[in-house]
Amino acid sequence: MSTSDKTSIGVIGIGYVGLVTGTCLAELGNNVVCMDIDAEKIEALREGQIPIYEPELPELILKNRDRMTFTTSLADIFDRCEIFFIAVDTPPTFTGDADLSRVFAVMSELPGLSNKHHVLVMKSTVPVGTGLKISSELARQEMANIDYVSNPEFLREGSAIHDFLNPDRIVIGSRDPGIGEKVAALYRNMKAPILKTNIPTAEMIKYASNAFLATKISFINEIANVCEEVGADVCVVADGMGHDRRIGKHFLNAGIGFGGSCFPKDVTALKQIAGNSGYHFQLLTAVIEVNELQKRRVVNKLQKHLGTLADKTIALLGLAFKPNTSDLREASSIVLASRLLGDGALVKAYDPVAIPYAAKAVRGILLCDNILSVVKDSDAVVLVTEWDEFADLPLEEMKKVMRRPLIIDGRNFLDPRKVRAAGFTYEGIGRV
Ligand code: UGA
């Protein structure tokens, strides 16, 4: 079949998930209409500028540019697409619930009953129960020509293209199996199992997956904290645990806690979803608290070596919430920097990619453009993000320009023997 024979697929909300979804659907051979209300972003995309840093994404957009169109008009989507994805963001409100205002803004503009059939596919993470509410609303508002499908996304930033095209599973929640089948057909060439469920189950699979992974991280972080007390090494412990296939090796890297636009938001939202239905999710309360305290431990480690932090200079290596992304949302670096500034320290930072976005995210830190300039005259270095560039630090040169040779490795990324051999005091998280 030639690509022009295919119906276009719509994607509403061109953030991380939306842009990757649209690009990968184009890569799978579909014509894709990408819609966002941000006219500047759409104009930039039309001119070939990519608004986010994500490996492989620019190349894939370029490769598929004939199949991708960018618009600010929802009408374009409804005119040209039977199936359209909603991928707008659902940030947390002050109560911890997911803010669905962007989802409802799209809903309010859906066309009234027409003889054209549409399938609204929810990619955004929405609280369990939202899909059923929306599909009832569609029926009530006499928009019975629009069917609803939940199709949560499991991609990670930094490896988003790979994850989208090589998923572990595809989850499709629908009321009507025939409609779910239409969405499943988009993924027919993928090797992953397709799980067809009802709508709340699909929504819960997404929250439960993120919450479980976050729980794994908080668990290993607590093990790391105990390791420090008893002289064990958490890296070796995690490796030993990971050999057990029931546990698995992934997501057992202890450090200064999880960040990003998903885990903090989704764990809190799941706790709220449970709370709103009268269930107190004790475990998640602890997961969140452990994650908060973990960032404070780095401050304690600095104080242990430096005494008061007032007027000390602390250099942060890395700002992004994880490597291979420019994303600073809920990044541990932001919380850490704010605490250090609060204690009167001078905070400097270098990140291979996130610097241009950092000035807006955190005020009062001195942004530097390479490793040596950030460590110059500092009393300590904290490795916050495990970028490849930091794997082989220029230790000799660093030692010459630093005030004190102290490295706190917030990601257990460096080789302690090598760092100590270069004359540094080294502390990881739960490492001997
Ligand atoms: C996460 C999930 O992994 C994806 O499956 C999901 O689709 C996505 O959220 C989402 O809901 O959109 P992401 O936030 O991009 O993906 O990044 P992760 O690789 O999961 O890392 C999240 C945080 O956990 C990072 O701050 C990372 O440094 C931290 N982390 C991860 C650890 O501290 N230790 C680990 O062992 C793993």
Side-chain angles (χ1 to χ4, degrees):
M1 192 200 276
S2 83
T3 54
S4 57
D5 294 328
K6 296 199 172 186
T7 321
S8 292
I9 309 293
V11 181
I12 300 171
I14 305 303
Y16 263 102
V17 171
L19 187 54
V20 171
T21 300
T23 308
C24 290
L25 287 170
E27 172 69 5
L28 292 171
N30 303 285
N31 291 319
V32 180
V33 184
C34 298
M35 183 271 160
D36 200 286
I37 50 167
D38 183 340
E40 232 174 87
K41 187 194 278 184
I42 289 298
E43 202 40 54
L45 281 161
R46 282 184 183 142
E47 285 169 13
Q49 295 159 25
I50 315 304
I52 52 171
Y53 176 88
E54 180 62 41
E56 295 179 48
L57 183 61
E59 296 81 355
L60 213 61
I61 292 180
L62 189 65
K63 181 177 165 205
N64 290 291
R65 65 181 180 277
D66 293 342
R67 281 196 279 258
M68 297 177 74
T69 48
F70 298 98
T71 179
T72 53
S73 156
L74 268 181
D76 279 353
I77 299 266
F78 304 131
D79 283 351
R80 294 166 56 190
C81 311
E82 181 189 11
I83 300 177
F84 62 90
F85 288 78
I86 294 189
V88 295
D89 58 344
T90 52
T93 62
F94 70 94
T95 56
D97 294 287
D99 175 0
L100 295 177
S101 56
R102 293 178 180 92
V103 171
F104 289 121
V106 176
M107 300 295 303
S108 68
E109 294 204 31
L110 291 177
L113 193 60
S114 75
N115 50 14
K116 233 174 147 185
H117 177 246
H118 291 287
V119 183
L120 182 169
V121 189
M122 189 60 76
K123 264 271 174 241
S124 304
T125 302
V126 292
V128 183
T130 305
L132 280 187
K133 264 188 233 141
I134 292 179
S135 48
S136 308
E137 190 78 356
L138 290 173
R140 202 171 58 81
Q141 289 185 1
E142 295 178 349
M143 289 194 275
N145 56 316
I146 304 176
D147 282 303
Y148 184 95
V149 170
S150 166
N151 174 217
E153 182 50 59
F154 300 97
L155 63 80
R156 291 161 299 171
E157 290 182 20
S159 53
I161 300 292
H162 173 271
D163 290 353
F164 189 99
L165 295 173
N166 303 278
D168 289 338
R169 76 307 209 180
I170 291 154
V171 175
I172 295 185
S174 63
R175 274 182 157 161
D176 173 345
I179 300 299
E181 205 51 59
K182 277 190 178 228
V183 178
L186 295 174
Y187 299 104
R188 64 181 160 262
N189 293 329
M190 291 185 177
K191 287 197 196 92
I194 297 187
L195 314 180
K196 293 177 192 143
T197 72
N198 66 21
I199 295 171
T201 305
E203 292 167 339
M204 186 54 109
I205 290 172
K206 170 69 190 182
Y207 276 106
S209 300
N210 272 3
F212 184 76
L213 291 169
T215 303
K216 251 185 134 175
I217 299 170
S218 278
F219 178 83
I220 201 67
N221 281 338
E222 289 225 278
I223 293 288
N225 300 342
V226 180
C227 281
E228 286 182 3
E229 301 301 322
V230 299
D233 187 322
V234 74
C235 296
V236 185
V237 171
D239 183 54
M241 290 167 64
H243 278 286
D244 185 328
R245 271 171 292 174
R246 294 169 304 171
I247 298 172
K249 285 187 181 300
H250 301 289
F251 280 69
L252 288 179
N253 298 327
I256 55 172
F258 56 79
S261 64
C262 304
F263 283 175
K265 157 181 85 87
D266 291 350
V267 174
T268 309
L270 180 53
K271 191 185 144 201
Q272 284 293 111
I273 291 164
N276 292 346
S277 59
Y279 182 77
H280 177 51
F281 206 142
Q282 295 188 57
L283 188 56
L284 289 187
T285 307
V287 168
I288 295 163
E289 196 181 322
V290 169
N291 197 49
E292 286 313 308
L293 293 175
Q294 205 62 14
K295 292 158 204 163
R296 202 170 298 164
R297 287 184 75 85
V298 172
V299 178
N300 295 344
K301 282 175 193 285
L302 287 167
Q303 284 166 336
K304 185 176 92 183
H305 293 280
L306 302 175
T308 171
L309 297 181
D311 300 325
K312 301 286 180 348
T313 301
I314 311 296
L316 305 184
L317 286 179
L319 284 170
F321 85 94
K322 62 184 264 187
N324 299 321
T325 179
S326 55
D327 202 341
L328 290 159
R329 283 176 290 177
E330 301 281 333
S332 299
S333 62
I334 307 290
V335 180
L336 179 61
S338 306
R339 288 201 183 136
L340 294 172
L341 289 169
D343 281 355
L346 173 70
V347 182
K348 299 169 80 184
Y350 164 67
D351 187 288
V353 168
I355 290 294
Y357 310 87
K360 257 200 226 155
V362 59
R363 286 179 207 290
I365 63 177
L366 189 62
L367 301 173
C368 300
D369 54 15
N370 60 55
I371 296 172
L372 286 181
S373 68
V374 77
V375 303
K376 189 168 183 312
D377 298 329
S378 64
D379 294 283
V381 165
V382 182
L383 191 145
V384 183
T385 316
E386 64 277 34
W387 284 98
D388 279 350
E389 187 181 332
F390 303 149
D392 200 13
L393 291 172
L395 294 167
E396 296 299 329
E397 288 100 311
M398 283 170 59
K399 194 159 168 256
K400 280 186 206 143
V401 298
M402 285 177 68
R403 256 187 229 144
R404 286 171 221 227
L406 170 61
I407 294 188
I408 309 292
D409 181 359
R411 295 290 176 188
N412 289 346
F413 187 54
L414 305 171
D415 179 349
R417 273 171 308 183
K418 212 170 137 188
V419 178
R420 286 182 184 129
F424 282 84
T425 301
Y426 171 92
E427 273 217 42
I429 310 290
R431 267 178 137 177
V432 284

